[in-house]
């Protein structure tokens, strides 16, 4: 084998013959680093291909089974929901999130349930065995089938894996593990690519599920090349603010279930606790008859979730008014402010405007537009919205209320929590089921809504 120096982009994984300040493939600045690449001779690569090709044969589509995959329940219903119903044997799952948000905590809590019937190997490259034991004691994890191995050398991990033969493997974290045969630092593009390929081969050949814990960058994406997310079967992101107790696991990619599914938890002294009804939790402590507050219903995967949108509008003392959002898309909110000024005649351009999704959650769905419009207009006019109203609908640039999906599911969630009136787009009012305890009010544009509600 021979080695040569190449320059690799840490963002997209593209290789270049020389260093450059900006990657020409993805456009990222200062992302090209020097790596050592191993060149396999043609003779050995061709013989390896011949040997590998003799082991597998293509099958006709009619010969393949379409039955549902066997699932392993984690014992945490919210976690099972995000995974698509449980863990699929042989799957490679990547869990990313900010430091201290609860990645290791939820995996240890999962081990307590799975340890009743399965042998688990927990490989830690960041903490000692004693540190993991202290966390397990705090979380009440007492299973005897959980074995902890502290190492960052991939050769040692493979040797331990062959010796123990576990039913589940957890690697915390993938950025700390390195292959000693590759001449580059842990966490580099070549190291992460090699480690992930090795673990993926083990998962598929041995049919054991493997969890990888991943670090995130300051932009919020998982550190390392993007190929890491492409190779794994499932990518989960742990979301939450540092000063809030709520945590959300969001499925960004899932080959065995729906994407954008979420599980909601609360961080307590004894670990993460499931929140079975996140709508009720998000609305707890909501003020009554207060201007600038409106309830919306967002779809997170297959789950409707009610949330409160709060807005504050105050006359600006500067030349340019301030626009700030928390948990919402700033660009879309600025667009809705322009629609309010042009189509509804509100002089919002002379006001500082602050809009917040209460509870520390992040929602970017267009169906929240009607609620954001109502909250801002309510704050501007200092007029409270009726507490029993829920607003659903996307707002266009001409002020029209456009249709959105899963309207019936959203209305049923609002009805279940005791709301009495639901604002929806007129185009969604066709073929709706009858609702006994909630009034469904279709509208064509925001001017009609503002005239009726405020």
């Amino acid at each position: 084998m021979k080695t040569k120096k190449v320059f690799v982009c840490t963002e997209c994984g593209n290789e270049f013959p020389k260093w450059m300040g900006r990657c020409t493939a993805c456009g990222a600045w200062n992302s090209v680093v020097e790596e050592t690449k191993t060149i396999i001779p043609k003779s050995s690569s061709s013989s390896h291909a011949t040997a590998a090709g003799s082991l597998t044969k293509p099958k006709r589509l009619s010969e393949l089974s379409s039955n549902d995959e066997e699932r392993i329940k984690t014992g945490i219903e919210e976690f099972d929901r995000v995974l698509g119903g449980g863990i699929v044997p042989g799957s490679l799952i990547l869990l990313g999130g900010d430091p201290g948000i609860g990645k290791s905590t939820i995996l240890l809590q999962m081990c307590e349930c799975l340890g009743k019937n399965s042998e688990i190997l927990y490989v830690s490259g960041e903490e000692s065995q004693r540190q993991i034991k202290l966390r397990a004691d705090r979380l009440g994890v007492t299973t005897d089938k959980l074995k902890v191995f502290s190492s960052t050398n991939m050769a040692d991990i493979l040797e331990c894996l062959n010796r123990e033969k576990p039913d589940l493997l957890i690697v915390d974290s993938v950025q700390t593990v390195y292959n000693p045969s590759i001449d580059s630092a842990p966490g580099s593009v070549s190291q992460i690519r090699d480690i992930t390929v090795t673990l993926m081969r083990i998962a598929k050949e041995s049919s054991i599920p493997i969890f990888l814990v991943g670090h995130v960058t300051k932009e919020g994406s998982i550190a390392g090349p993007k190929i890491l997310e492409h190779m794994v079967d499932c990518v989960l992101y742990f979301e939450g603010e540092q000063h809030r107790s709520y945590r959300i696991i969001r499925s960004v990619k899932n080959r065995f279930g729906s994407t954008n599914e979420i599980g909601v938890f609360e961080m307590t002294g004894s670990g993460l606790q499931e929140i079975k009804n996140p709508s009720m939790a998000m609305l707890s402590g909501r003020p009554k008859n207060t201007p600038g507050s409106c309830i919306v219903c967002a779809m997170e995967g297959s789950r409707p979730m009610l949330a409160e949108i709060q807005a504050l509008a105050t006359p600006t003392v500067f030349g340019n008014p301030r626009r700030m959002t928390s948990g919402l898309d700033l660009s879309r909110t600025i667009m809705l402010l322009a629609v309010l000024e042009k189509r509804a005649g509100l002089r919002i351009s002379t006001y500082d405007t602050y809009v917040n999704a209460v509870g520390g959650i992040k929602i970017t769905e267009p169906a929240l537009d009607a609620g954001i419009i109502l909250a801002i207009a309510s704050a501007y006019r200092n007029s409270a919205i009726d507490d029993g109203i829920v607003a659903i609908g996307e707002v266009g640039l001409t002020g029209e209320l456009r249709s959105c999906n899963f309207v019936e599911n959203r209305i049923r969630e609002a009805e279940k929590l005791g709301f009495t009136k639901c604002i929806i787009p007129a185009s969604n009012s066709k073929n709706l089921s009858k609702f006994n305890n909630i009034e469904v009010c279709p509208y064509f544009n925001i001017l009609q809504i503002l005239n009726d509600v405020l």
Side-chain angles (χ1 to χ4, degrees):
M1 295 186 183
K2 297 181 179 179
T3 60
K4 71 172 184 177
K5 298 291 185 180
V6 295
F7 294 88
V8 183
C9 175
T10 57
E11 295 292 331
C12 62
N14 272 277
E15 296 181 0
F16 303 96
K18 62 179 182 179
W19 184 88
M20 53 184 63
R22 184 185 186 188
C23 174
T24 56
C26 66
W29 288 93
N30 298 323
S31 62
V32 180
V33 296
E34 186 179 1
E35 298 281 353
T36 301
K37 183 178 181 181
T38 302
I39 305 174
I40 302 176
K42 292 184 178 180
S43 57
S44 61
S45 61
S46 60
S47 61
H48 175 74
T50 305
S54 61
L55 297 177
T56 59
K57 294 182 180 180
K59 291 184 179 180
R60 298 184 186 276
L61 185 63
S62 57
E63 298 174 354
L64 301 174
S65 172
S66 60
N67 296 331
D68 292 338
E69 302 91 352
E70 178 188 355
R71 301 273 182 171
I72 304 170
K73 298 296 182 180
T74 64
I76 306 173
E77 292 183 12
E78 290 293 301
F79 203 21
D80 287 337
R81 170 193 286 271
V82 178
L83 291 171
I87 305 172
V88 177
S91 59
L92 189 60
I93 302 167
L94 177 63
L95 178 62
D98 293 328
I101 201 168
K103 302 184 295 295
S104 303
T105 299
I106 195 169
L107 291 177
L108 275 177
Q109 290 181 226
M110 178 188 70
C111 291
E112 174 65 17
C113 178
L114 293 178
K116 298 175 182 177
N117 303 310
S118 305
E119 293 286 344
I120 305 170
L121 178 61
Y122 192 110
V123 177
S124 176
E126 300 177 341
E127 297 176 303
S128 66
Q129 293 172 321
R130 182 176 179 276
Q131 288 176 306
I132 297 174
K133 172 60 177 174
L134 291 174
R135 180 186 287 116
D137 291 342
R138 178 173 58 85
L139 299 175
V141 179
T142 58
T143 177
D144 287 333
K145 294 192 175 182
L146 172 61
K147 295 182 179 180
V148 179
F149 182 62
S150 183
S151 176
T152 57
N153 191 319
M154 191 61 192
D156 296 339
I157 296 173
L158 291 178
E159 181 182 351
C160 180
L161 194 61
N162 292 329
R163 183 176 63 253
E164 300 295 337
K165 300 188 183 304
D167 301 314
L168 175 70
L169 174 64
I170 299 173
V171 179
D172 184 6
S173 66
V174 67
Q175 279 88 1
T176 61
V177 181
Y178 71 96
N179 186 342
S181 62
I182 297 178
D183 186 18
S184 59
S188 61
V189 176
S190 56
Q191 286 283 4
I192 291 179
R193 184 191 292 118
D194 181 82
I195 297 300
T196 308
V197 168
T198 303
L199 292 174
M200 181 177 64
R201 177 180 54 81
I202 294 171
K204 302 307 178 186
E205 291 180 356
S206 306
S207 292
I208 65 170
I210 299 178
F211 280 86
L212 305 179
V213 176
H215 295 163
V216 296
T217 62
K218 61 182 180 181
E219 291 82 14
S221 59
I222 294 179
K226 203 67 178 176
I227 192 174
L228 175 61
E229 298 186 35
H230 292 311
M231 292 169 64
V232 300
D233 297 311
C234 186
V235 180
L236 309 178
Y237 274 91
F238 229 126
E239 301 175 0
E241 294 188 6
Q242 183 179 1
H243 303 293
R244 295 182 183 268
S245 60
Y246 292 126
R247 301 287 189 268
I248 294 176
I249 299 181
R250 187 183 304 275
S251 171
V252 178
K253 171 190 175 181
N254 193 349
R255 289 174 179 159
F256 309 109
S258 61
T259 56
N260 287 326
E261 199 73 55
I262 68 166
V264 185
F265 301 85
E266 183 177 8
M267 180 63 79
T268 65
S270 58
L272 289 164
Q273 302 294 329
E274 298 178 73
I275 297 180
K276 301 294 180 64
N277 192 338
S279 296
M280 187 174 295
M282 296 300 174
L283 299 182
S284 62
R286 179 196 175 199
K288 303 293 184 181
N289 299 318
T290 304
S293 174
C294 184
I295 302 301
V296 296
C297 187
M299 287 298 297
E300 297 290 352
S302 60
R303 164 188 279 176
M305 187 173 69
L306 297 183
E308 181 187 1
I309 302 295
Q310 289 187 345
L312 179 65
T314 60
T316 182
V317 295
F318 304 103
N320 295 322
R322 298 190 67 185
R323 276 81 170 91
M324 293 184 64
T325 62
S326 176
L328 300 169
D329 185 3
L330 176 60
S331 299
R332 189 163 190 87
T333 303
I334 293 175
M335 183 195 76
L336 294 175
L337 290 171
V339 172
L340 264 176
E341 177 139 2
K342 181 69 176 180
R343 306 302 176 188
L346 302 187
R347 298 281 304 203
I348 204 73
S349 60
T350 59
Y351 280 69
D352 293 336
T353 309
Y354 308 89
V355 189
N356 174 38
V358 179
I361 60 173
K362 297 179 182 179
I363 317 176
T364 58
E365 192 186 6
L368 307 183
D369 291 353
I372 296 174
I373 286 277
L374 274 174
I376 295 172
S378 170
Y380 176 82
R381 295 180 176 178
N382 200 30
S383 175
I385 301 171
D386 187 275
D387 293 332
I389 291 180
V390 174
I392 302 169
E394 179 184 354
V395 175
L397 292 179
T398 61
E400 82 280 9
L401 208 60
R402 305 184 70 88
S403 62
C404 54
N405 55 2
F406 303 109
V407 169
E408 195 161 315
N409 294 347
R410 300 174 198 255
I411 298 175
R412 293 197 184 281
E413 180 72 9
E415 183 183 30
K416 185 173 68 176
L417 291 181
F419 288 88
T420 58
K421 184 176 180 180
C422 187
I423 295 172
I424 67 169
S427 55
N428 280 127
S429 60
K430 301 176 183 177
N431 303 321
L432 273 181
S433 301
K434 298 295 182 181
F435 298 93
N436 299 324
N437 301 320
I438 189 170
E439 179 187 1
V440 179
C441 303
Y443 289 93
F444 288 96
N445 54 59
I446 62 170
L447 203 54
Q448 294 177 342
I449 301 176
L450 296 180
N451 291 335
D452 287 354
V453 176
L454 296 176

